Amino acid sequence: MKIRKFLSNFFKSFGGEDDYQAPEPAPDHKAAYLEYKAAEDEAHRLQEEEKEELKQFARLIGRACKSKSSSAGAIINGASGLPMIGGIGGVDAAGNSFGSRHRGIGDI
C-alpha cells in the first residue's frame, strides 16, 4: 500500500493525475506447475513400466530360445525360429544365416 501511495504522489508531482493502476496480481502458477509435474511423473512411471515389461519379455524369449536349443540338441535361429544346420556358423532350414530372416519355409 505504501508503494501505491508513493507512486500516486510521484505522478501527481509531475502534474499528472492519479492514474496509476496497481498491476493485477500474477496468477497462481503453483497449481499449474503441480498439475504439469504430476503429468510428467505419470509419463515417467509409464515409461519405466514399459521398459520393465520389455525386459521381462526379452528374458522370457531368451529362456525359450535357450530351452529349445539345449533340449533339442540343436541351435535355433532366434530371428526365424528355425533350427540351424551347421550350428551358428551355418544356415537355418530356410537358408538364412544366424540372426537373420530373409526367407521363410514357404519361400523356398
Side-chain angles (χ1 to χ4, degrees), residues 12-44:
K12 284 181 186 177
S13 69
F14 287 103
E17 295 184 24
D18 183 14
D19 59 354
Y20 172 74
Q21 297 291 325
E24 292 293 318
D28 182 21
H29 295 293
K30 185 176 182 178
Y33 172 75
L34 292 175
E35 184 177 331
Y36 164 77
K37 190 66 175 155
E40 186 180 55
D41 291 346
E42 178 67 11
H44 181 71

Side-chain angles (χ1 to χ4, degrees), residues 54-96:
L54 288 173
K55 285 179 186 177
Q56 289 176 358
F57 180 71
R59 278 187 233 124
L60 179 67
I61 295 297
R63 279 188 232 127
C65 288
K66 284 180 184 176
S67 66
K68 278 185 182 179
S69 64
S70 62
S71 65
I75 296 176
I76 303 297
N77 184 349
S80 65
L82 299 172
M84 297 295 294
I85 302 167
I88 291 179
V91 294
D92 67 10
N96 300 309

Side-chain angles (χ1 to χ4, degrees), residues 93-95 103-108:
R103 293 180 270 177
I105 292 291
D107 297 338
I108 296 177

